[in-house]
Amino acid sequence: MAQLCLWTCEDKLHSSCIRCTVLAGAMEASETEGRTFMQVISEKYSPENFPCRRGPGMGVVVVPSGHQGSPRKDRLNLPSVLVLNGCGISHAGEEGEIAAFCAHVVELDLSHNKLQDWHEISKIVSNIPNLEFLNLSSNQLSDAVLEPDCAKAFSSIRHLVLNNTQVSWDTVHTFTQEMPELEEVFLCLNEYTTVTPAAMPFPTLRLLHITDNSLHEWSEVRKFGSMFPALDTLVMANNYLSSIQDSGEILQRLFPNLRRINLHNSGLNRWEDIEKLPSVTCLNGSVVTDAEREDAERFFIRYHLDHSEEELPHRYHCLVTKYGKLAPLAEIDLRPRCHAKVEVRYEDKVEQVSIRLDQTVAGLKKQLRTVVQLPTSNMRLYYIDKGSAFGPDELKYSTRALHSYSIQDGDEILVVPKTK
């Protein structure tokens, strides 16, 4: 027979406790059915529930004092930015309460929840009239159908994040038709291999994030130009795009307002493809300055100096008209020297020795033991720079590297035995 548990029940549930049995059943039901938006808000922002106990495998345990999901308005203190990610939300809850508590909310993060129905999401959004930013990432919405009337609830949103939701292009187009304020869309990790064109262009979208998909063909990417004519920023890293097949003139017409593009890890391997983007001022997150553009254009000319006339791209001739035919740059090896041939002098003996410059003074003494027949403990070394007017420089410090003395071929190392 179940009894009332005398434990605090904070760290684990007890099978013989009535309260624990009820809580376990509630937690199990919550895991399978999910929770409502209003239930999570009530739990997270009710003053009575702080501090909340959290831990592996545990959510926020709440013992409501009144009717669950209907807290008094003066008991919740909601910020204008709500972060409710990973809370198991699957349904909206009481719409009147959403409207009462969330009228001032402008940003809402519902990522990593259990939302699978656009109607439930619209019940939340339609009751937050000032909402501008909505993050629905990692809610499984691949099978959810979005009707136009439902999409109208999202009309005030300017920034929409749909990463890892596997939403269809039909859903994206329905949104753009019903969201006149939309400026930014995030569609990363949605396993897109193709792009379905929209029936009508969408004139307000300025930023499109579509990183980590599988858009390998330029024929798919170019569709964004006609779909989003005002596009200013295109982020499509990790799509392994093979090439840009349109000319610079066609690209200018396709993307007349494009100024920033991120092609990190795209797979492009020809300068010609990058040069087709003349209006871009920011590449992979970095501003392209006038000096950097000039350096790149001059490099482009020199890169093609050894190519035959038939191999020269059209861009080469345009840049030669601008800068003229450039001479090759001088090849300068800036790598540090590894060895030097020096004259080792000891008493009346002189011998040519090749020494390693990456070794220390102590290492050089070991090398010279067989040359001068002295133990290292009895050596004093002096470096004589033949190109300098200064006198010998004693190599006093055993741990100092030889390259720090700027030793060159033909210089001298003088070995003097220590006096007793």
Side-chain angles (χ1 to χ4, degrees):
M1 179 176 178
Q3 299 177 352
L4 182 63
C5 183
L6 299 179
W7 296 84
T8 59
C9 301
E10 291 182 345
D11 296 318
K12 58 184 178 179
L13 299 178
H14 302 86
S15 59
S16 61
C17 172
I18 297 174
R19 179 173 177 269
C20 288
T21 303
V22 172
L23 282 175
M27 292 171 63
E28 184 177 355
S30 176
E31 290 176 358
T32 57
E33 298 174 6
R35 297 191 288 171
T36 69
F37 176 79
M38 275 311 306
Q39 181 184 1
V40 170
I41 285 182
S42 300
E43 294 176 355
K44 183 170 183 178
Y45 293 102
S46 173
E48 295 180 358
N49 298 328
F50 291 97
C52 299
R53 182 176 182 84
R54 296 176 184 271
M58 296 181 64
V60 181
V61 179
V62 177
V63 182
S65 57
H67 178 61
Q68 190 166 358
S70 302
R72 294 196 307 273
K73 186 175 181 180
D74 60 359
R75 293 184 60 203
L76 292 186
N77 184 20
L78 270 65
S80 60
V81 177
L82 294 184
V83 179
L84 303 175
N85 59 313
C87 293
I89 299 172
S90 61
H91 296 83
E94 177 58 45
E95 293 186 63
E97 292 183 346
I98 298 175
F101 290 118
C102 301
H104 65 297
V105 173
V106 295
E107 296 188 15
L108 177 59
D109 183 351
L110 292 174
S111 60
H112 297 274
N113 278 290
K114 298 181 178 181
L115 294 163
Q116 299 181 4
D117 188 339
W118 285 113
H119 288 284
E120 289 299 319
I121 300 172
S122 69
K123 290 178 185 178
I124 299 172
V125 173
S126 62
N127 288 287
I128 310 179
N130 295 306
L131 191 63
E132 295 184 356
F133 174 95
L134 176 62
N135 185 357
L136 294 171
S137 296
S138 298
N139 286 277
Q140 292 306 306
L141 297 166
S142 57
D143 297 327
V145 177
L146 178 65
E147 301 294 340
D149 289 341
C150 185
K152 290 178 181 178
F154 300 78
S155 60
S156 67
I157 294 175
R158 297 177 180 272
H159 315 279
L160 180 62
V161 185
L162 297 171
N163 297 336
N164 193 31
T165 57
Q166 282 71 50
V167 293
S168 67
W169 282 108
D170 288 340
T171 296
V172 175
H173 298 328
T174 301
F175 271 129
T176 57
Q177 292 168 13
E178 303 297 336
M179 298 172 65
E181 305 294 327
L182 189 62
E183 297 177 2
E184 299 182 357
V185 172
F186 293 72
L187 298 172
C188 309
L189 294 163
N190 280 336
E191 302 179 3
Y192 295 138
T193 58
T194 60
V195 178
T196 303
M200 297 176 58
F202 183 67
T204 65
L205 194 74
R206 290 177 171 78
L207 180 146
L208 174 62
H209 270 261
I210 196 157
T211 296
D212 286 295
N213 282 281
S214 299
L215 299 176
H216 305 325
E217 301 299 328
W218 176 252
S219 58
E220 300 300 322
V221 177
R222 73 191 309 273
K223 297 173 184 177
F224 296 138
S226 57
M227 290 164 58
F228 310 122
L231 198 63
D232 171 87
T233 301
L234 176 59
V235 183
M236 52 173 302
N238 301 332
N239 274 277
Y240 307 103
L241 181 68
S242 56
S243 65
I244 299 176
Q245 296 167 347
D246 288 315
S247 66
E249 292 77 9
I250 294 177
L251 287 176
Q252 185 68 35
R253 292 196 296 271
L254 276 174
F255 298 95
N257 295 294
L258 189 64
R259 296 294 178 269
R260 298 173 180 84
I261 189 167
N262 189 319
L263 296 170
H264 173 70
N265 205 18
S266 63
L268 297 177
N269 56 16
R270 300 187 308 162
W271 276 107
E272 290 90 334
D273 290 324
I274 303 301
E275 287 291 333
K276 291 175 180 179
L277 304 168
S279 62
V280 171
T281 58
C282 188
L283 178 64
N284 285 5
S286 300
V287 174
V288 182
T289 65
D290 292 340
E292 289 172 333
R293 186 178 293 277
E294 180 176 341
D295 288 344
E297 290 174 342
R298 288 178 175 272
F299 175 84
F300 187 86
I301 293 175
R302 291 190 171 99
Y303 178 82
H304 289 90
L305 287 179
D306 296 331
H307 289 62
S308 65
E309 188 67 27
E310 295 77 17
E311 295 176 313
L312 295 175
H314 175 71
R315 183 64 173 162
Y316 171 85
H317 300 290
C318 295
L319 294 178
V320 167
T321 302
K322 182 177 180 179
Y323 297 107
K325 290 190 174 182
L326 304 178
L329 293 175
E331 293 188 9
I332 301 176
D333 189 355
L334 298 178
R335 292 174 297 180
R337 293 173 57 85
C338 297
H339 296 83
K341 291 183 178 180
V342 297
E343 292 182 355
V344 176
R345 293 182 177 272
Y346 174 61
E347 296 179 340
D348 58 350
K349 182 179 179 180
V350 179
E351 187 169 335
Q352 294 282 341
V353 177
S354 176
I355 63 174
R356 286 185 13 251
L357 299 179
D358 60 346
Q359 68 180 330
T360 62
V361 172
L364 177 61
K365 287 182 177 181
K366 291 180 180 179
Q367 181 182 353
L368 297 181
R369 281 182 305 186
T370 57
V371 178
V372 299
Q373 301 298 316
L374 282 176
T376 57
S377 60
N378 197 30
M379 285 187 199
R380 295 181 68 179
L381 302 184
Y382 294 86
Y383 163 55
I384 302 173
D385 182 354
K386 284 192 173 182
S388 171
F390 297 100
D393 183 7
E394 185 175 0
L395 307 181
K396 295 181 180 179
Y397 306 105
S398 298
T399 59
R400 184 171 173 178
L402 295 181
H403 62 70
S404 65
Y405 292 95
S406 301
I407 298 175
Q408 303 290 324
D409 289 342
D411 290 342
E412 294 183 11
I413 300 293
L414 176 63
V415 183
V416 177
K418 291 182 179 180
T419 58
K420 296 182 179 179

